[in-house]
């Protein structure tokens, strides 16, 4: 009876006024009962001294009075929809009991039913937590035996077991006080029994708390006595005979253990069975956490007083349990997609509206931290592992790029493909897609990881040009100097140039790593360009050496080959991406001009019998053809176009005295045209000596003084042309001049 009275009193704050009035009448009736003089329970609040009074013997009249109060309380609970399973069972058994009971009882039950139908049904949408204060029932005068108390604990009759345990503890304290320092063996045995019983009670409480949210229908009704036992034991912690350690802390540990088991029970497939094993598991884990906390918020918390802070305790327990769980998952995770799923769950999803920020957990979560509780350095370790995996995947992907290039082109000597009229190797798009996808993928977690991943990709990409070149040389060196070799080099110049442009998107994020890659790619492009340049030079060098010779004057075969080879260069440069084609054309334009004009400086031939006019005409015609070819290739060295015409004017003058009048354009266009170069040109024309020759040289010297030194050092042509000294004129010198050349003069 007292237990039901206490439960009615606890719920009174939440019930309407009619129930409170009835509770007061019940209390007044209880105070007038025979129990009032012998064994009334005490209301316990924080700081109250424990009740040590034993109970009086049972009274039959009191039992009948209690039955009446219980029936009335059950009626009130049903009308307010606070019925429990026991009430439902009573309602289900009501027809049988009515048929079997006496007529007076049936009449009473019928009256109660009519009264219930007349009462206004009150809807209570929001429950409230238990009151902090509670009424401690009276301790038994003589406690049950140890075996009986243990049996009650096993049967989960917790309140009665605890009251008998308190009574046994009171006996122990009284006997200890009587014995003083000299404790008999029986007292030691009783203390040992107390420890064993308290240990069993704590284990039982821990088991109930641990399973309270997994088996709510079984354990929810037991949580009220669990909470009161914990409160009472915390209040009696300083008294002898109790169990060491905090009961409240043991309760928190039990909550944490239950949460850990709940987390561990979430379905986890094997990696071998599903590619999405971790993503699916984390989704289920988040769902289980939300459902569990929602159950705590909706049902479980009302079985505890406010001081237990039930919802906060469960939230913190999930922070710890989930933190330990993701550490275990991190040790098993090796693939990039799984590491991404784990990091995304930790950094974003756990505190998002999907889990801890879920609207169904509000407003209780407003004062709680939504962050996962991780071990120090765990997040950094997972980030490092993610970045290392990115580098490993990038390295293997780049190796596959080289392997595919070998399978698709090198192995069968297939020509590269054309795209937008340019030779192209498509791997630059594959690499850009791979890097861009990886960077964006990591950016879904946070900006810090995105920047680190960008740097990792660029660091791995830095080694790719050199590795690619090694494999290309290994598989394709036998193709030299076939046209296919040239096509491959042009396509790779284009592809690595495009790859540089793609990677420029990451300059703001990782400028140093980008510069490292660009330098390696530029070196590779430079080596391929120099290879094309050297190949052209090797092809035309024998042809250029035979310019300005006797054979050249009478035969066009060498120049025709030179023109054809230059035309092939035009075709190749048209397939190359700017600006690399312009750089190559500029260098080869300069080379052809220097070598073509340079043959005049080698004194290989001297025109006689007015052959200089024919040589000048031929030189002008061929020069125009070469200039047209380089103009078609859009050479940026426009300053080289005039040299052939200027020299042709000097060589083609019929009268020697007119030569000095045509030197000015040559000297102005090319200030590095020196006296020795003019001497070589005059020798090719056939003007080896004489007064007119001296006048021409004097006129050149005057023009040089007037023009001055070349200001633009980038426009140097004749300074790079060696001049071969002609020693034939020494035989025509007087002996007096030769004598001065001897040693001692």
């Amino acid at each position: 009876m007292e237990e039901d009275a206490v439960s009615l009193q606890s719920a009174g704050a939440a019930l309407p006024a009619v129930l409170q009035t009835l509770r007061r009448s019940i209390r007044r009736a209880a105070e007038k009962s025979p129990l009032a003089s012998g064994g009334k329970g005490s209301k316990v609040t924080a700081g109250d001294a424990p009740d040590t009074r034993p109970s009086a013997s049972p009274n039959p009249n009191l039992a009948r009075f209690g039955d009446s109060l219980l029936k009335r309380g059950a009626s009130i609970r049903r009308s307010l929809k606070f019925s429990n399973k026991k009430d439902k069972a009573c309602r289900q058994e009501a027809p049988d009991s009515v048929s079997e009971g006496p007529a007076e009882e049936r009449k009473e039950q019928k009256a109660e039913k009519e009264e219930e139908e007349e009462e206004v049904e009150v809807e209570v949408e929001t429950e409230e937590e238990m009151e902090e204060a509670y009424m401690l029932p009276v301790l038994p005068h003589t406690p049950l035996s140890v075996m009986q108390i243990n049996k009650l604990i096993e049967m989960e009759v917790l309140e009665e077991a605890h009251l008998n345990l308190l009574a046994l503890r009171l006996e122990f304290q009284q006997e200890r006080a009587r014995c003083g320092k000299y404790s008999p063996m029986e007292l030691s045995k009783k203390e040992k029994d107390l420890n064993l019983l308290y240990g069993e009670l704590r284990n039982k409480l821990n088991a109930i708390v641990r399973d309270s949210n997994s088996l709510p229908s079984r354990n929810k009704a037991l949580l009220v006595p669990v909470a009161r036992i914990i409160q009472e034991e915390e209040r009696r912690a300083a008294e002898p005979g109790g169990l060491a350690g905090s009961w409240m802390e043991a309760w928190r540990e039990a909550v944490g253990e239950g949460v850990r088991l709940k987390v561990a029970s979430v379905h986890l497939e094997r990696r071998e069975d599903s590619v999405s094993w971790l993503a699916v598991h984390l989704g289920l884990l988040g769902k289980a956490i939300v459902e569990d906390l929602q159950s705590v918020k909706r049902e479980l918390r009302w079985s505890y007083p406010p001081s237990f802070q039930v919802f906060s305790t469960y939230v913190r327990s999930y922070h710890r349990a989930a933190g330990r769980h993701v550490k275990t998952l991190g040790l098993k995770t090796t693939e990039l997609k799984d590491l991404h799923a784990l990091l995304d769950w930790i950094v974003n999803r756990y505190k998002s509206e999907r889990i801890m920020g879920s609207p169904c957990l509000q407003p209780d979560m407003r004062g709680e931290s939504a962050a996962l509780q991780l071990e120090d350095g765990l997040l950094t370790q997972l980030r490092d592992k993610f970045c290392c995996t990115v580098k490993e995947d990038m390295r293997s992907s780049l190796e596959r790029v080289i392997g595919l290039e070998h399978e698709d082109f090198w192995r069968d000597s297939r020509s590269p493909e054309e795209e937008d009229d340019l030779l192209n190797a498509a791997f630059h798009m594959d690499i850009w897609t791979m890097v861009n996808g990886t960077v964006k993928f990591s950016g879904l977690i946070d900006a810090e990881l995105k920047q680190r991943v960008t740097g990792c990709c660029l660091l791995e990409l830095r080694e790719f040009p050199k590795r690619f070149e090694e494999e290309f040389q290994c598989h394709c060196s036998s193709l030299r100097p076939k046209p296919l070799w040239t096509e491959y080099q042009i396509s790779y110049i284009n592809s690595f140039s495009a790859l540089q442009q793609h990677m420029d998107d990451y300059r703001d994020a990782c400028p140093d790593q980008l510069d490292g890659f660009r330098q390696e790619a530029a070196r590779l492009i430079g080596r391929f360009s120099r290879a094309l340049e050297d190949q052209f030079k090797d092809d035309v060098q024998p042809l250029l050496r035979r310019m300005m010779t006797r054979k050249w004057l009478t035969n066009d075969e060498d120049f025709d080959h030179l023109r054809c080879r230059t035309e092939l260069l035009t075709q190749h440069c048209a397939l190359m991406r700017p600006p690399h084609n312009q750089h190559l054309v500029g260098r080869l334009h300069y080379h052809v001009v220097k070598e073509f004009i340079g043959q005049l400086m080698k004194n290989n031939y001297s025109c006689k019998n007015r052959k200089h006019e024919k040589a000048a005409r031929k030189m002008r015609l061929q020069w125009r053809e070469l200039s047209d070819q380089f103009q078609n290739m859009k050479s940026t060295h426009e300053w080289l176009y005039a040299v052939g015409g200027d020299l042709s004017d000097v060589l083609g003058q019929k009268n020697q005295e007119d030569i000095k009048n045509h030197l000015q354009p040559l000297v102005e266009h090319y200030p590095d045209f020196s006296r020795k170069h003019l001497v070589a040109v005059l020798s090719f024309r056939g003007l080896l000596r004489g007064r007119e020759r001296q006048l021409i040289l004097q006129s050149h010297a005057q023009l040089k003084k007037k023009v001055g030194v070349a200001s633009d050092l980038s426009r140097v042509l004749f300074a790079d042309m060696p001049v071969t000294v002609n020693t034939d004129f020494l035989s025509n010198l007087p002996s007096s001049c030769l004598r001065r050349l001897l040693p001692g003069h």
Side-chain angles (χ1 to χ4, degrees):
M1 180 198 69
E2 292 174 350
E3 180 180 354
D4 279 3
V6 170
S7 64
L8 283 172
Q9 182 186 18
S10 301
L15 299 178
V18 61
L19 180 59
Q20 295 180 8
T21 304
L22 178 61
R23 187 183 65 237
R24 286 195 294 270
S25 65
I26 293 173
R27 184 183 300 168
R28 286 195 297 270
E31 290 173 354
K32 295 177 182 179
S33 70
L35 182 62
S37 61
K40 179 184 176 184
S42 59
K43 185 174 182 179
V44 180
T45 58
D48 288 349
D51 189 355
T52 58
R53 291 175 296 176
S55 64
S57 58
N59 190 304
N61 296 326
L62 178 62
R64 285 194 297 273
F65 180 74
D67 291 341
S68 175
L69 290 178
L70 284 175
K71 291 178 182 179
R72 187 62 176 168
S75 174
I76 295 297
R77 283 198 303 272
R78 286 194 298 272
S79 67
L80 295 174
K81 293 192 174 180
F82 279 118
S83 59
N84 53 24
K85 291 188 175 181
K86 185 176 179 181
D87 298 330
K88 293 178 181 178
C90 291
R91 285 200 299 271
Q92 292 172 357
E93 296 173 0
D96 295 337
S97 61
V98 169
S99 61
E100 294 175 2
E104 184 180 350
E105 291 182 1
R106 289 198 301 271
K107 185 177 180 180
E108 182 181 358
Q109 291 177 358
K110 183 178 180 181
E112 290 178 358
K113 184 177 180 181
E114 291 175 355
E115 184 180 357
E116 290 174 10
E117 292 175 353
E118 293 176 356
E119 291 177 351
V120 178
E121 190 173 278
V122 180
E123 294 290 341
V124 182
E125 296 181 355
T126 305
E127 296 187 71
E128 293 184 2
E129 292 173 322
M130 289 172 53
E131 291 183 357
E132 195 68 40
Y134 62 95
M135 183 74 72
L136 179 67
V138 198
L139 301 183
H141 181 74
T142 303
L144 298 175
S145 67
V146 173
M147 294 295 293
Q148 290 174 321
I149 296 175
N150 189 58
K151 190 66 176 177
L152 290 175
I153 294 173
E154 291 179 359
M155 296 172 61
E156 298 180 349
V157 186
L158 300 179
E159 189 172 11
E160 185 175 352
H162 184 237
L163 290 175
N164 282 274
L165 191 53
L166 288 178
L168 185 63
R169 183 175 177 181
L170 178 60
E171 285 186 357
F172 168 76
Q173 294 171 359
Q174 293 171 348
E175 292 177 12
R176 183 182 179 189
R178 288 195 299 268
C179 295
K181 297 182 180 180
Y182 304 99
S183 301
M185 291 295 296
E186 185 177 349
L187 188 61
S188 299
K189 181 179 180 297
K190 183 171 289 189
E191 183 177 16
K192 184 177 179 181
D193 291 340
L194 278 171
N195 285 332
L196 290 174
L197 289 174
Y198 265 119
E200 290 297 321
L201 180 62
R202 178 176 285 185
N203 291 338
K204 176 59 69 174
L205 264 58
N206 289 348
I208 293 171
V209 171
R210 184 186 63 227
D211 301 335
S212 59
N213 215 17
S214 299
L215 303 170
S217 59
R218 172 180 175 271
N219 289 336
K220 186 179 178 182
L222 295 172
L223 292 178
V224 174
V226 166
R228 295 312 187 193
I229 290 172
I230 293 173
Q231 283 183 291
E232 186 66 23
E233 288 301 324
E234 283 289 301
R235 219 164 46 84
R236 296 172 180 265
E239 297 180 9
L243 195 63
S246 170
W247 285 75
M248 184 63 75
E249 187 60 33
W251 172 79
R252 295 190 188 99
E253 291 177 0
V255 170
E257 180 63 16
V259 167
R260 188 192 67 79
L261 293 175
K262 175 74 91 172
V263 169
S265 67
V266 177
H267 178 66
L268 177 63
E269 292 185 282
R270 297 190 310 165
R271 285 183 295 179
E272 298 80 5
D273 297 337
S274 174
V275 294
S276 303
W277 65 279
L278 186 55
V280 171
H281 172 71
L282 293 173
L284 295 174
L285 177 60
K287 182 180 179 182
I289 292 174
V290 173
E291 291 177 351
D292 204 33
L293 290 178
Q294 192 175 5
S295 175
V296 172
K297 175 178 177 290
R298 186 177 58 246
E299 300 176 4
L300 214 59
R301 64 186 299 180
W302 311 120
S303 300
Y304 292 94
S307 61
F308 278 70
Q309 298 181 345
V310 179
F311 187 79
S312 297
T313 302
Y314 271 89
V315 168
R316 289 192 293 269
S317 297
Y318 267 112
H319 289 342
R320 290 191 296 270
R324 288 192 292 267
H325 187 63
V326 296
K327 178 184 178 181
T328 304
L329 292 175
L331 297 175
K332 301 177 181 179
T333 307
T334 56
E335 296 185 23
L336 189 64
K337 62 178 179 59
D338 297 330
L339 285 168
H340 182 276
L342 186 59
L343 279 170
D344 186 47
W345 195 85
I346 293 172
V347 176
N348 298 319
R349 292 178 179 266
Y350 184 77
K351 59 185 178 183
S352 71
E353 292 185 355
R354 301 185 180 211
I355 305 178
M356 286 299 172
S358 174
C360 66
L361 301 182
Q362 305 304 322
D364 300 76
M365 278 298 300
R366 289 176 185 172
E368 302 293 335
S369 170
L372 198 61
Q373 187 173 335
L374 302 173
E375 289 188 7
D376 293 341
L378 177 60
L379 188 57
T380 301
Q381 293 174 10
L382 290 175
R383 291 178 184 273
D384 293 343
K385 190 174 183 179
F386 186 88
C387 292
C388 290
T389 307
V390 166
K391 294 178 71 174
E392 293 172 1
D393 289 355
M394 182 64 62
R395 190 180 305 122
S396 61
S397 297
L398 293 175
E399 287 295 325
R400 286 198 300 271
V401 166
I402 298 175
L404 288 174
E405 195 70 13
H406 174 254
E407 294 175 6
D408 295 342
F409 296 99
W410 301 341
R411 184 176 60 190
D412 301 326
S413 299
R414 284 183 53 204
S415 296
E417 300 174 351
E418 287 190 26
E419 182 179 341
D420 297 331
D421 298 327
L422 299 175
L423 286 177
N424 179 66
F427 65 76
H428 70 91
M429 282 299 299
D430 298 334
I431 294 174
W432 177 77
T433 303
M434 179 172 55
V435 172
N436 190 50
T438 304
V439 170
K440 286 185 176 180
F441 191 51
S442 61
L444 296 176
I445 297 176
D446 59 23
E448 177 188 351
L449 186 64
K450 180 180 180 180
Q451 183 173 12
R452 289 190 59 185
V453 167
T454 303
C456 292
C457 292
L458 292 173
L459 284 176
E460 284 302 316
L461 203 55
R462 178 179 180 176
E463 306 300 322
F464 177 66
K466 187 181 297 183
R467 179 75 181 126
F468 184 89
E469 184 182 18
E470 291 174 355
E471 292 297 318
F472 173 65
Q473 297 285 355
C474 177
H475 293 291
C476 300
S477 58
S478 60
L479 298 176
R480 292 180 179 177
K482 296 179 181 179
L484 187 57
W485 173 265
T486 302
E487 293 177 1
Y488 280 151
Q489 289 177 316
I490 293 174
S491 68
Y492 298 145
I493 289 173
N494 292 339
S495 296
F496 277 96
S497 176
L499 188 57
Q500 282 181 315
Q501 294 177 4
H502 294 323
M503 294 302 111
D504 282 342
D505 294 342
Y506 307 114
R507 176 164 296 280
D508 293 339
C510 301
D512 296 336
Q513 292 88 336
L514 177 63
D515 288 341
F517 161 70
R518 285 190 63 87
Q519 290 173 5
E520 290 299 322
R523 292 189 183 103
L524 177 61
I525 292 172
R527 288 191 290 271
F528 282 147
S529 297
R530 282 193 297 274
L532 294 175
E533 182 180 345
D534 293 341
Q535 183 177 343
F536 178 82
K537 290 178 180 179
D538 292 341
D539 291 343
V540 302
Q541 194 63 25
L543 305 175
L544 290 169
R545 285 178 181 175
R546 291 193 287 271
M547 299 293 107
M548 312 305 166
T549 62
R550 186 187 302 276
K551 180 183 178 183
W552 166 79
L553 193 60
T554 59
N555 194 317
D556 292 336
E557 181 181 357
D558 291 331
F559 183 78
D560 290 341
H561 288 310
L562 175 62
R563 184 178 58 243
C564 291
R565 184 62 183 85
T566 307
E567 182 63 32
L568 182 61
L569 175 66
T570 304
Q571 298 173 8
H572 289 161
C573 290
L575 298 172
M576 190 182 301
R577 186 185 297 271
H580 305 291
N581 56 350
Q582 296 176 345
H583 294 163
L584 179 63
V585 168
R587 291 193 299 270
L588 293 180
H589 185 194
Y590 181 85
H591 175 77
V592 170
V593 170
K594 188 184 75 169
E595 292 299 320
F596 186 84
I597 300 300
Q599 303 308 313
L600 290 174
M601 311 302 163
K602 294 184 178 180
N603 286 307
N604 292 329
Y605 179 70
S606 181
C607 298
K608 297 178 181 179
N609 300 325
R610 305 183 68 84
K611 291 181 181 179
H612 63 276
E613 295 178 8
K614 179 181 179 181
R617 287 194 299 273
K618 188 166 189 176
M619 180 179 176
R620 189 185 301 276
L621 178 62
Q622 293 180 350
W623 181 257
R624 188 177 296 116
E625 291 186 24
L626 289 174
S627 297
D628 289 344
Q629 286 183 315
F630 282 104
Q631 280 182 337
N632 292 335
M633 287 185 275
K634 299 180 181 180
S635 172
T636 57
H637 292 354
E638 296 91 349
W639 61 280
L640 294 174
Y641 292 137
V643 64
D646 294 343
L647 288 172
S648 297
D649 289 342
V650 173
L651 293 175
Q653 297 302 315
K654 293 183 179 181
N655 300 320
Q656 296 179 0
E657 59 272 13
D658 293 336
I659 293 177
K660 59 181 176 290
N661 297 328
H662 291 80
L663 291 177
Q664 183 174 352
L666 184 60
V667 174
E668 288 179 350
H669 292 155
Y670 307 98
D672 60 336
F673 183 72
S674 64
R675 175 187 173 89
K676 62 181 180 180
H677 295 104
L678 179 58
V679 170
V681 171
L682 295 176
S683 298
F684 178 80
R685 188 187 183 280
L687 187 57
L688 301 176
R689 65 184 65 85
R691 179 175 175 275
E692 197 60 41
R693 180 176 180 273
Q694 295 299 322
L695 292 174
I696 293 172
L697 295 176
Q698 290 176 7
S699 177
H700 174 267
Q702 292 173 359
L703 288 172
K704 289 283 290 182
K705 289 181 181 180
K706 183 179 179 180
V707 173
V709 182
S711 58
D712 190 354
L713 298 180
S714 64
R715 296 189 173 188
V716 175
L717 176 61
F718 288 95
D720 292 340
M721 291 184 191
V723 178
T724 303
V725 178
N726 187 359
T727 58
D728 293 343
F729 72 95
L730 294 177
S731 60
N732 299 321
L733 290 176
S735 59
S736 59
C737 293
L738 291 174
R739 191 179 301 116
R740 293 181 178 274
L741 298 176
L742 296 175
H745 294 275

